Amino acid sequence: MSTRLPQDTPMLDELERGPWPSFVTNLKRLAQDNDMMVDLLGQLETSYRDCKGYWKGGTVGVFGYGGGIIPRFTELKDENGKPLFPDAAEFHTLRVQPPAGMHYSSDLLRKLCDVWVGSGGSGLIALHGQSGDIMFQGISTENVQKAFDGLNEMGFDLGGAGPALRTSMSCVGAARCEMSCYDEARALRTVINNNLDDMHRPSLPYKFKFKFSGCPNDCVNAIQRSDMATIGTWRDNIRVDEKLVQDYYQVHGMHDLYTDVVGHCPTKAITVVPSDQVKADAHTSVARLGDGNALCIDNSNCVRCMHCLNVIPGGLRPGVDKGVTILVGGKGVLKIGATMGSVIIPFMKLETDEDFDKLYQLARNILDFFAENALDHERTGEMIERIGLANFLEAMNIPVDPNMISQPRSNPYFRSDDWDEQAAKWAEFKQEAA
Ligand code: SF4
C-alpha cells in the first residue's frame, strides 16, 4: 500500500469525464500502492493548473550507449531547493526497441513487467510511443542501469533518443495482413542489425530513422516520419476475387459501390460498365458483379493509393509482381516544417538475398552521406532541401527517373536551357545503372 494518499486533483479529474478511457484513472489506480505515482499526480495537477510543464532534461545514460534514455527532472522545488514531489523528482524514460512487427508472447510481456517493476520502475509502460519504442516511463537515475541490464539480458536494446540511428519500426506485415508486399521483418533486421554501431556509438549530426511498411497504407507512417522509408508495392494488376467483390456488392449495392469505391479513386481508374462492354486488355482487372455489370480497374492509371483494396478487402488485393518503393527525407516539423519522403527508387524487387543486400547497401550509403554532409541538428530531408535532390541522387549514383515526380505538372510552360545536356546526363546514368 502507498504510505501517502493521492493528492487532490480537480484538474486531472476533469480528464476522466467523457466517454473515453482516461490515463488519469490508471495513474490513480497505480497510486494506490505506489508513492511515485502519488507524486506524479501532484506534479501533473500543478502543471495543468499553471498551464506549464514542470519537467526539465539533463544527462542520464547507461554504459555503452549513446542514446535511449529520456531524462526528466522536476522543476517544482520549495524555497530550500527541495522537490515538492520527491518520489517523482526523477522520472526518466527508457526507450527500448520493439521486435520487428511488434510481435510479443504473453510470457515475454510478463517478464518485461517483472524486470521493470523489479528494478524500481514506476510500473508505467506504453506500447508503443510515437517513435515506435516500448516506453518504460518513470524511474530514478540510480535505477536506470539496473533496469536496462535486466532488459538487455532478455535481448532488448535501447534505441530511441539522441543524435543516433534510432529505433526502427515495421508494420505487423505478412504475419497478419493480406496487403503485405514483402518480408518487412527481414528488411528491418537486415538494415538495423548491420548498422548497430551507429546506434551504440553514434557519430551522426542528428537522428536518423528507418521505417518499413508492407504496403502503401503505410501503417507505421514511414513516409512522414522516417529518413528512409521502405514501402511495399506491386507493378502488375490488382488481383480480383470475384466472389468476394459480389459479396460486397450484394450487401452494399450500386449506390455504395459508386460513392465509396468508384468515386474515391483519385485517378478515376475504376469504372462500372455493362458486362458485355468490358475491355479485355492486359491492364484491366475485371470483377463481374452478377447483375449484368462489371467493375473494371485500369491498372495503368492506378497510383496504388490502396483505397479500393481497403474498402473491398479480399475482393481486391495487391498484384503478384511485388516489391518496394524507397523514399528519403520524411520528418516532423523542424527547420523547414514537416516533410514527406521523396521517391528515390520507384520500384525494386525485395525477395532474394541479393535484393536484401542491395537494400542494406543503399541504407549504408545514405547513412554515410548523411554523416558526412548534414549540418549539426539537420535531418536528411533538410539536408536534401539544402543541397538539392538532383545532387543527392548523383552522390548516391541513382539515375533520375520520370517516376520520381511528386505531382503531375500543372504549368504547360518549361525552360529548355541545358535540355540536351540534361538528357545526355540522364542517358549516361541509365547506361551505368543497367
Ligand atoms: Fe484507384 Fe488504384 Fe487507389 Fe484503387 S488503389 S482507388 S484503382 S488509385
Side-chain angles (χ1 to χ4, degrees):
M1 285 294 286
S2 168
T3 52
R4 292 180 287 132
L5 292 171
Q7 325 275 327
D8 265 349
T9 53
M11 299 293 286
L12 291 177
D13 295 349
E14 286 297 314
L15 297 177
E16 291 185 283
R17 290 149 57 109
W20 310 111
S22 169
F23 71 97
V24 174
T25 310
N26 291 328
L27 292 185
K28 285 182 179 171
R29 184 170 54 77
L30 285 172
Q32 297 305 309
D33 56 6
N34 185 329
D35 287 344
M36 193 183 245
M37 285 299 138
V38 176
D39 276 359
L40 179 71
L41 287 169
Q43 166 102 14
L44 288 180
E45 178 67 21
T46 313
S47 290
Y48 277 100
R49 189 196 63 205
D50 298 350
C51 299
K52 184 170 185 294
Y54 284 112
W55 298 115
K56 65 174 177 181
T59 312
V60 180
V62 294
F63 288 114
Y65 274 77
I69 310 289
I70 308 286
R72 208 171 274 132
F73 295 94
T74 185
E75 284 184 319
L76 288 169
K77 309 256 174 84
D78 64 16
E79 60 279 6
N80 300 317
K82 296 243 171 68
L84 288 181
F85 302 102
D87 283 301
E90 295 176 356
F91 202 82
H92 314 313
T93 293
L94 271 75
R95 280 182 166 179
V96 174
Q97 286 202 60
M102 294 164 189
H103 297 280
Y104 303 92
S105 65
S106 44
D107 181 49
L108 189 93
L109 289 171
R110 278 192 199 95
K111 283 185 185 144
L112 282 176
C113 295
D114 290 345
V115 169
W116 181 227
V117 176
S119 328
S122 69
L124 267 187
I125 305 176
L127 294 169
H128 301 86
Q130 282 203 43
S131 54
D133 297 278
I134 312 169
M135 310 272 277
F136 292 94
Q137 294 170 309
I139 192 162
S140 65
T141 310
E142 188 190 359
N143 289 329
V144 160
Q145 184 73 47
K146 191 174 159 197
F148 170 68
D149 289 344
L151 295 167
N152 203 221
E153 263 168 45
M154 291 175 67
F156 282 93
D157 206 354
L158 289 181
L165 173 57
R166 299 277 284 265
T167 289
S168 189
M169 275 173 101
S170 70
C171 64
V172 69
R176 286 181 53 199
C177 178
E178 71 271 25
M179 305 298 188
S180 165
C181 293
Y182 67 101
D183 185 342
E184 307 82 4
R186 182 176 173 190
L188 183 149
R189 299 310 295 258
T190 303
V191 170
I192 288 299
N193 288 22
N194 285 304
N195 286 307
L196 280 179
D197 258 7
D198 282 308
M199 190 173 281
H200 298 171
R201 282 165 286 281
S203 54
L204 301 180
Y206 199 33
K207 58 182 139 175
F208 192 101
K209 298 179 181 178
F210 294 107
K211 291 192 195 296
F212 303 84
S213 280
C215 78
N217 275 330
D218 192 9
C219 290
V220 297
N221 295 334
I223 298 173
Q224 293 93 341
R225 300 187 62 97
S226 69
D227 298 273
M228 176 173 152
T230 305
I231 310 290
T233 186
W234 67 96
R235 60 182 171 186
D236 55 347
N237 293 349
I238 289 175
R239 277 180 291 166
V240 168
D241 182 325
E242 204 163 65
K243 166 81 178 52
L244 291 181
V245 175
Q246 285 174 6
D247 287 352
Y248 168 89
Y249 184 58
Q250 264 165 22
V251 174
H252 295 271
M254 188 61 84
H255 179 266
D256 283 5
L257 184 67
Y258 258 96
T259 52
D260 293 346
V261 183
V262 179
H264 280 284
C265 175
T267 52
K268 313 259 180 284
I270 311 179
T271 46
V272 175
V273 297
S275 295
D276 55 6
Q277 288 175 26
V278 167
K279 230 187 349 163
D281 64 27
H283 297 300
T284 308
S285 303
V286 180
R288 283 164 214 285
L289 298 173
D291 66 348
N293 291 309
L295 182 82
C296 299
I297 301 174
D298 172 9
N299 287 281
S300 57
N301 269 321
C302 165
V303 289
R304 281 55 171 169
C305 81
M306 297 299 288
H307 180 78
C308 61
L309 291 86
N310 292 337
V311 180
I312 313 181
L316 302 176
R317 284 191 298 155
V320 288
D321 187 7
K322 297 172 178 175
V324 295
T325 297
I326 313 273
L327 304 93
V328 291
K331 56 162 202 59
V333 286
L334 209 60
K335 298 183 189 70
I336 58 167
T339 54
M340 307 255 275
S342 304
V343 172
I344 61 159
I345 307 271
F347 186 87
M348 69 179 252
K349 294 294 275 184
L350 195 52
E351 286 168 4
T352 62
D353 291 353
E354 218 174 66
D355 296 338
F356 280 93
D357 195 46
K358 218 163 122 192
L359 180 75
Y360 159 63
Q361 285 303 338
L362 177 67
R364 191 60 247 171
N365 288 348
I366 293 176
L367 209 46
D368 284 343
F369 187 83
F370 173 69
E372 281 164 25
N373 294 285
L375 303 177
D376 228 20
H377 223 255
E378 184 179 58
R379 291 288 292 272
T380 321
E382 288 152 350
M383 176 191 72
I384 291 174
E385 178 88 0
R386 177 169 55 79
I387 66 173
L389 184 59
N391 289 327
F392 176 74
L393 291 172
E394 197 166 337
M396 294 293 107
N397 203 21
I398 295 172
V400 177
D401 188 308
N403 289 309
M404 290 171 183
I405 57 165
S406 59
Q407 59 183 311
R409 282 161 52 88
S410 52
N411 185 337
Y413 298 101
F414 59 86
R415 297 185 61 153
S416 58
D417 338 356
D418 298 338
W419 186 267
D420 292 340
E421 287 85 342
Q422 291 303 325
K425 207 166 154 189
W426 185 70
E428 200 182 305
F429 257 139
K430 277 296 210 195
Q431 213 171 7
E432 275 174 24

